[in-house]
Structures are given as C-alpha cells and as structure tokens.
Amino acid sequence: MRFRDEIEKLYTSDKLDDIYKIYEHFSKEEIIEWMTTRPKAKMDIFEVEGDKEAIVIIPTADFNGQLAKHAREVFKGLHIIFVQSKGPLFNYAKSVNEGIRYAKNKYAPKWFIVSNDDVIWAEPPNKLIDELATVSSNVDLVMVCPPGKAHTKRVSIISPKDYVFSLMRLYAMVSKTPWIRVYSKFLKYRKKFGIKYWPAMHPILMNLKFGIKEKYDFLYCGSFCIVKDKLFDEGFINGVEDVALSMTSTVELINYKIEFLSGATLGGDELRMAKNLINFIYLNWLIESGKIKLRSFTIMHLSTNSNC
C-alpha cells in the first residue's frame, strides 16, 4: 500500500521534522501495519568457533570493524554468531532472532547469549557458563548484575495524569535534554494514538511521587541478556523490544560483570529518540490487544551461588 512507502520514506529521513510528520499525518492502524509488515534488511552470518553449550549472538554493522573484533576477544572461547546488517532497514530484533534461529537449527544450544557489539569488558566466559548452570529450569530470560549503564536497568511503565504532561512541556522549555524535548513534542499525539502507558527510563519520571494513575516497576535487559527459547517481537524498530521481552518473561539474575559503550552503534540524539516514540505506539497496541499483560514486577531472584 502507498502509505507504507510514505511512512518508510519519512522514517528513514535524517530530518527531525519528517519523523514528526509520521505522527501528524498517519493513523495508529497505518503505523502498526507498516511496522508489522516492514521487510527485513539483508543479513549475513559470520561464525567464530568455540564452545557451543551457550552461543553468543551479536548483531553488528561490520563483522570486520573494531567493535566486532573487540567483541570476539571479550567472548573468546564461546561460539559466536555475528549477524551483519546495516542500512535503513536494519532492525535489532530481527537480527537477534535471525541469529537465534540459525544457532538453534544448526547447534541446538541450551542458552543464547545476546550481546551488543559495543562490549568493552566482561568477566571470563567460563564464569558466565558456571552461573548459567545454577539457573532455575522455569526461567527463560537471564539478566546479569550488578546493573550497568547499558544493561539490567530499571524501567517503570507509567500512566500519568494530564497535568504531568503540562509540567513536562514547561520543563522542556528550559531543558537541553533530548528525551524531554522529544517527549514534549509528542505529547499532543498521545490521545490520537491511544497512548496510555509510557516506558519511563529517566529518574525524573520513574521517581514521580504524584500524578501517576498506574505504575509497574521491573528490570529490562538492555545491551545484554541470555535467553533459553525466546525471540524478540520484530514489530519494534530498534527500541523497546528489550522492555517487551522483560515484560513477558520469567527472569533470574546471575552474578556476572560486563560493560558496554552506550549507544555506540545507533546513537542517542534527538532524531533517534523521536524515531523511538513509534515504539511507544506499538507497545500500547500490544497492551491494548492483550498480547502483553501488565504486572507489577517480573519474577526476579538471584541464582543460589550469587552474592550480587
């Protein structure tokens, strides 16, 4: 359909105004249809040999680039599957899922270790394997602690009262923070798209003591997680897919330290954040349609030998 092409052209633009035109000119139904029928980018699989009990899945724009080369050293000893993909159709969830399906069909590992390629440092892989051996059998998503700036982070799904949005607009007039400027511009569309729930990842919103009708607190995995047999929802476009995964999983924490650069591949500027708001529309549609059930917290506990 023609509207899909029009949305795609606007979404892949590097002009901020073009992103807001999507919210101005298209309906929720059109946006959801575009998101769920968007074609996949070209993907190439590269493997690095290693132990296959738990296989590392790493989406990357360049297998021969510095980030991917360093990731190979960090996870040396484990089998690594790099899913190389780039361009306007790159989709993190689709790249991860491609790697998981490939590994499952070829090797059938017990665990899939999902990592960004901008990993800086991690404890030895054998420490990770030892920790995974203690995880309860009913768990399908494992996160690591202590929390980092790019992984195992707190999120609140909030339903704010109207006056909270008014305060956000006032704050945006003096704030130089990209997320608050983007939020304030997007607020006028919240009723059009039926956005009742907002993923709040900034302390200002997470710690509000007033003006909140509903609030659900939990952790989301961010740049690193381990899954047993779970896939990301491919409707999301490079954002919020990890929040949705955490909302629909049984979670356990293990004691394993790892560090990442934050936003090294996709960035964190105002354009990226404006694009990410399209995922808020999709998340609310999933909740509204009953595909995601809101709950106060996911099941979170430490493995028996963990002291983090």
Side-chain angles (χ1 to χ4, degrees):
M1 293 185 181
R2 183 181 176 184
F3 73 83
R4 295 182 196 165
D5 295 333
E6 292 173 350
I7 296 176
E8 186 69 33
K9 182 177 180 181
L10 291 170
Y11 185 81
T12 54
S13 168
D14 59 0
K15 296 178 181 177
L16 192 59
D17 287 345
D18 284 343
I19 307 306
Y20 289 113
K21 286 177 183 178
I22 298 174
Y23 308 132
E24 186 72 38
H25 298 301
F26 296 93
S27 68
K28 176 173 69 175
E29 291 73 22
E30 289 172 325
I31 290 173
I32 296 298
E33 183 174 335
W34 165 71
M35 295 178 78
T36 54
T37 59
R38 205 170 178 236
K40 291 183 179 181
K42 181 180 181 295
M43 300 181 200
D44 295 304
I45 299 290
F46 296 92
E47 298 187 58
V48 178
E49 285 297 319
D51 186 275
K52 299 178 179 66
E53 178 182 353
I55 291 180
V56 184
I57 310 296
I58 303 181
T60 186
D62 183 4
F63 173 71
N64 293 310
Q66 289 304 311
L67 292 177
K69 287 180 179 178
H70 184 65
R72 280 174 241 173
E73 293 301 314
V74 171
F75 295 112
K76 189 174 182 179
L78 298 177
H79 195 81
I80 309 172
I81 292 176
F82 286 91
V83 184
Q84 179 178 279
S85 179
K86 55 188 174 182
L89 288 175
F90 168 76
N91 183 299
Y92 179 82
K94 292 178 181 178
S95 288
V96 169
N97 290 353
E98 185 78 9
I100 289 176
R101 292 188 185 104
Y102 179 89
K104 183 178 181 179
N105 291 335
K106 190 171 181 179
Y107 303 113
K110 184 175 180 181
W111 294 103
F112 303 93
I113 302 166
V114 179
S115 175
N116 281 14
D117 65 354
D118 58 348
V119 58
I120 302 171
W121 170 89
E123 291 186 298
N126 64 297
K127 167 75 182 297
L128 178 57
I129 298 301
D130 289 345
E131 284 284 324
L132 288 174
T134 70
V135 172
S136 304
S137 60
N138 66 321
V139 168
D140 51 18
L141 173 62
V142 177
M143 300 185 207
V144 299
C145 65
K149 67 178 182 178
H151 69 82
T152 319
K153 300 175 72 174
R154 180 187 161 202
V155 62
S156 297
I157 301 296
I158 61 173
S159 178
K161 295 181 179 179
D162 286 346
Y163 72 83
V164 172
F165 295 115
S166 299
L167 292 174
M168 287 176 66
R169 286 195 184 94
L170 291 174
Y171 183 60
M173 293 179 183
V174 296
S175 174
K176 295 182 180 180
T177 308
W179 74 266
I180 197 70
R181 292 200 302 268
V182 170
Y183 271 36
S184 66
K185 291 178 182 178
F186 189 70
L187 292 176
K188 64 180 179 180
Y189 304 117
R190 72 184 191 280
K191 291 184 179 178
K192 172 183 176 180
F193 295 121
I195 298 179
K196 181 180 179 182
Y197 298 103
W198 296 70
M201 302 176 188
H202 194 281
I204 291 176
L205 291 178
M206 288 192 296
N207 297 320
L208 274 179
K209 303 299 183 184
F210 59 87
I212 303 299
K213 292 181 284 188
E214 295 179 59
K215 184 179 181 183
Y216 304 88
D217 294 318
F218 53 96
L219 298 178
Y220 72 101
C221 47
S223 299
F224 186 81
C225 68
I226 304 100
V227 297
K228 184 173 290 183
D229 196 15
K230 296 271 291 189
L231 296 174
F232 286 100
D233 187 317
E234 296 184 359
F236 291 104
I237 305 174
N238 303 324
V240 189
E241 67 280 317
D242 52 350
V243 173
L245 182 73
S246 300
M247 293 172 73
T248 57
S249 300
T250 300
V251 179
E252 186 164 316
L253 298 175
I254 60 173
N255 186 2
Y256 181 74
K257 298 179 180 66
I258 189 166
E259 297 177 8
F260 292 85
L261 293 170
S262 184
T265 303
L266 292 173
D269 59 10
E270 192 167 345
L271 179 67
R272 165 95 194 278
M273 292 184 180
K275 289 184 175 185
N276 192 42
L277 289 172
I278 212 158
N279 293 311
F280 288 23
I281 298 172
Y282 186 63
L283 178 66
N284 274 264
W285 176 77
L286 290 174
I287 295 170
E288 178 186 310
S289 60
K291 299 178 186 298
I292 287 182
K293 305 291 185 183
L294 287 171
R295 47 185 175 170
S296 295
F297 53 88
T298 54
I299 300 172
M300 294 181 292
H301 52 285
L302 301 179
S303 57
T304 54
N305 68 342
S306 175
N307 59 6
C308 63

